[in-house]
Amino acid sequence: MLNRLIRVSSFVRKEFAEVARQPRLVLSLILGPFLILLLFGIGYSGEARVLRTELVVPPGSPLEQQAKEYSESLGKQLRLVGVTSNEAEAKRHLEQREVDAVVVVPDDSLDRIARGEQALLTLYHNEIDPTQSGYIGYFGRVYVSEVNRRILLHLTQEAQRRAGESQTEIQEAQDAIKQARAAITSGDRQRARDALERLDSSTTALAGLVGVSAGVMQGVKQNLGEQGAPSDADTLLDNVQKLQADSAELRQSLDRQDQSLVVWDAQLRRMEGNLSQIDTVIQHLRSIPASVLVSPFTTQTRTVAPLQPSFVIFYAPAVLALILQHMAVTISALSLVRERLLGAIEVFRVSPVSPMETLTGKYLSYLLMSIVIAAILTLLLATLLKVPILGRWQDYAAGLVLMLFASLGVGFAISAISGSDSQAVQLSMIVLLASMFFSGFVLPISALVWPIRVVSYLLPVTYGIITLQDVMLRGMAPSVPYLLALLGQGIILFIISLLIFRRQFVRA
Amino acid sequence: MSESQSVIEMMRVSKTFAGFPAVQDVTLSVHEGEIFGFIGPSGCGKTTTVRMLCGVYRPSEGLVRVLGTRPEEFDQELRAQIGYMPQLFALYPTLSVRENLDFAASLYGVGWRSRGRQRRKLLEFVELWDHQNKLARDISGGMQRRLELACSLMHNPALIFLDEPTAGIDPILRAKFWQGFRELKAEGRSLFVTTQYVTESEYCDRVAIMNKGRLIAVDTPDNLRKRAFEGEIVLVRAPGLGHRHRSLFSGVPGLRRVDTSVADQARVIVEEASTAMPHIVDALKSAGLNPESLEEYKPPFDDVFVALVGKEHVDA
């Protein structure tokens, strides 16, 4: 047993001594990841890209001036660098990458809108990056929505202004009702009919004036899917209709002489009541700002997470996991290959050391080495970049150690099947590349379809990133299934590496 | 030496790689406490043979026994009795001389306490005591070979396999190596040494000569020399001695043949030089020739090797 311990420990001492003799390697292992994060922190603004945009408008279009005004107020992601009527020239600017986007307003836009059709703004770009291409498409939709909103705002303001003019019409309608009452009382039916016709005329004008405001309110209500009590808009339109209907009915009744004075007076009172309600509703509609009517809803975002990290802090656990996995994979991938190339395996085969002892010794040495490096990196991140660890230290340590154990398994499996240094490095780089794409480091795992997502869950770093983010930034305990997955992965890879290595140990 | 004292036995052993015969039908035994030289040109199958003896390769045919056990059945205790210095550099360049020795000792389970004295003894033996803190990559090729030798001895093995330990080393250092091997032998160890320097056969107790995967001969250096030239050589120098005097030696007992190709001298090949020499003197005097010198001539082993390989070729 003692001999076995001595043989296993021999690898630990050897590997540590070899690494210690390469200070530049140690420095790059520790400082490399830290400097990457530091540079990322200093350099990454997180702001959306500013698009240099050129607008193509029909010659002599008033849009030229409006576009300039709009561009100054639409937000900093749009920088209008020119307005032209020459579409070909604008596209050439785009091809030469002098501008990022060209927006073409069609010649017949006003005609189309007048015909009740949508005018099509075409947004040209010169991106091959799908993300950037998507960003420009999204950008276009957002800005067209904003332009549409502003047009709607303008229309609403106009409607409210016109609603203000309804006071005159209401006054005239009230006067007409009074005149009709006086005429009916005096028995002058012709004068009463004339007064009621003036009332109809005022009511029709009133309907036109309040119609737009009422329509806007009606639209808001419908978009909310609101049921139940009638809104101001409903009341307004109902009252206008009732007023018109009552006026018509009163005229007919006067012609037929089929009612008493008392009934006619009651009808007139009802009409006065409706008119009063219309006035109240119009006053209320006018009191709502047009911007609220056009954009009744706005949003605010609040998080229930314990921390709202900066980009650097958010990416720190993922970078740490990725770098540690890559380091563990690379050093272990080269390990057995180098022994083989050096001729040491031949010496091991003759000596009493077994494949199990060799592999255990190497695992232990690299695991200890990786833990030391991870500890130093953690200290640097916590002290210099102020990356927090909200969770328990033991959870953090458990996640890291298990991820390192599984990563070493990947490296030793690579080492066992590689015939040369370059092959081992190549395979390690493939693991790194796969980790970049499939671990959730850059792209969310949820964006991958299921059979491909299996690749994600074959990579230790996938579990590592989630575990470290949970523990460091959410203060949560790590997911036990994830920890078990890492442990299982590590054990399986150890067994696979041992089987392959043992086969190589056996006599040819 | 009796058969029971053999530390190595090979019975009709062959090894082929993808149909290519690297070693063919080798039978030999190595006795305890002897230096056994395994000699032959590069690529003749020496390393393959050593690897089969150490258990790195499994023989394609035949039986191998080392310390009484087939290599595939070696247990850890038995492995600990074997020292192996491979042909190729198997040191860690970024470890110091001392660390390389310690690693080698650890592989054999040698504890910290017991390895100190052995380390010092070996470092002095290979004359690296003053260089023990240097990195293996920073010492000369000769020093590296000496360090490898020391590494193979750190666990105090009884049977030592040295695969071309003197390859690429200057003659002075080679002589030192062989001096060291003799000291190891004096301590009672058995050494199996391969070399492509045929002249080093002189340092061995017994020598096996390999050529193209076949064992040509196994014997003591003197017996091999005898076999190569069909006897012992007596070199005679006498003024006037020439081709016409060839028949002069016909009465010498055990005479094999006479070579008078060089003027004023003759090489008389006889069964036993000591018996023949007085008769050779008498023969010269009877012809009125005055011998200036008369000695047993031991041709260099290069000649022995060439002669044996030539004979093997003719026999084949």
Side-chain angles (χ1 to χ4, degrees), chain B residues 212-251:
Chain B
K212 294 180 181 171
R214 287 187 177 279
L215 194 62
I216 293 173
V218 183
D219 216 326
T220 62
D222 284 345
N223 285 346
L224 284 177
R225 192 177 280 114
K226 246 188 217 181
R227 193 190 297 188
F229 297 101
E230 296 167 355
E232 293 176 348
I233 302 171
V234 178
L235 182 63
V236 184
R237 286 194 181 86
L241 182 62
H243 194 66
R244 64 182 183 283
H245 299 113
R246 284 170 63 89
S247 57
L248 200 64
F249 305 106
S250 57

Side-chain angles (χ1 to χ4, degrees), chain A residues 173-331:
Chain A
Q174 283 171 340
D175 290 346
I177 291 171
K178 280 177 187 167
Q179 285 166 8
R181 179 178 286 115
I184 289 169
T185 307
S186 64
D188 187 349
R189 282 176 291 170
Q190 183 55 45
R191 206 155 53 89
R193 271 198 296 273
D194 291 344
L196 287 173
E197 277 172 14
R198 284 200 300 279
L199 175 65
D200 284 350
S201 172
S202 296
T203 309
T204 305
L206 201 56
L209 290 171
V210 301
V212 175
S213 299
V216 170
M217 288 297 290
Q218 189 69 18
V220 171
K221 187 187 167 194
Q222 282 174 356
N223 277 310
L224 285 172
E226 196 175 297
Q227 304 288 325
S231 68
D232 284 354
D234 294 327
T235 309
L236 187 64
L237 294 171
D238 281 354
N239 285 335
V240 168
Q241 283 172 356
K242 279 181 192 168
L243 199 57
Q244 288 172 329
D246 284 348
S247 173
E249 191 186 329
L250 185 57
R251 273 202 313 273
Q252 288 167 4
S253 182
L254 284 173
D255 289 344
R256 290 194 302 269
Q257 291 285 326
D258 58 354
Q259 296 293 344
S260 66
L261 276 174
V262 176
V263 173
W264 287 332
D265 186 55
Q267 277 184 310
L268 286 170
R269 284 181 191 284
R270 196 164 61 235
M271 287 162 71
E272 280 174 330
N274 282 339
L275 203 54
S276 174
Q277 278 188 7
I278 289 170
D279 189 31
T280 305
V281 171
I282 286 173
Q283 292 310 319
H284 182 224
L285 280 178
R286 285 188 65 200
S287 70
I288 300 173
S291 58
V292 174
L293 286 173
V294 170
S295 302
F297 290 99
T298 182
T299 57
Q300 64 172 347
T301 311
R302 287 186 180 170
T303 178
V304 294
L307 182 76
Q308 199 54 50
S310 64
F311 279 104
V312 181
I313 290 177
F314 173 73
Y315 275 109
V319 172
L320 182 68
L322 188 70
I323 294 288
L324 286 176
Q325 179 197 264
H326 182 59
M327 179 199 70
V329 168
T330 308
I331 56 174

Side-chain angles (χ1 to χ4, degrees), chain A residues 281-465:
Chain A
V281 171
I282 286 173
Q283 292 310 319
H284 182 224
L285 280 178
R286 285 188 65 200
S287 70
I288 300 173
S291 58
V292 174
L293 286 173
V294 170
S295 302
F297 290 99
T298 182
T299 57
Q300 64 172 347
T301 311
R302 287 186 180 170
T303 178
V304 294
L307 182 76
Q308 199 54 50
S310 64
F311 279 104
V312 181
I313 290 177
F314 173 73
Y315 275 109
V319 172
L320 182 68
L322 188 70
I323 294 288
L324 286 176
Q325 179 197 264
H326 182 59
M327 179 199 70
V329 168
T330 308
I331 56 174
S332 51
L334 288 170
S335 172
L336 294 178
V337 178
R338 288 213 170 132
E339 299 284 13
R340 245 191 328 265
L341 294 177
L342 198 66
I345 297 289
E346 192 173 318
V347 177
F348 298 166
R349 279 158 135 184
V350 178
S351 75
V353 74
S354 67
M356 177 76 169
E357 288 164 352
T358 306
L359 206 58
T360 306
K362 285 187 168 287
Y363 253 89
L364 271 178
S365 53
Y366 291 140
L367 191 60
L368 286 174
M369 211 179 292
S370 304
I371 288 171
V372 169
I373 289 169
I376 296 171
L377 273 173
T378 304
L379 201 66
L380 285 173
L381 293 180
T383 53
L384 297 181
L385 291 182
K386 308 290 180 202
V387 179
I389 298 180
L390 300 179
R392 300 191 313 163
W393 278 92
Q394 49 269 50
D395 288 338
Y396 176 74
L400 261 185
V401 170
L402 286 173
M403 189 198 71
L404 288 170
F405 175 57
S407 304
L408 288 174
V410 175
F412 277 113
I414 288 174
S415 200
I417 59 169
S418 297
S420 65
D421 271 19
S422 49
Q423 197 182 346
V425 169
Q426 185 65 29
L427 288 172
S428 303
M429 293 309 291
I430 288 173
V431 172
L432 177 64
L433 199 61
S435 302
M436 296 288 289
F437 280 105
F438 297 108
S439 68
F441 180 74
V442 179
L443 307 167
I445 298 172
S446 56
L448 299 168
V449 294
W450 247 110
I452 304 300
R453 207 182 288 186
V454 171
V455 178
S456 302
Y457 293 106
L458 289 175
L459 296 164
V461 71
T462 304
Y463 306 100
I465 289 174

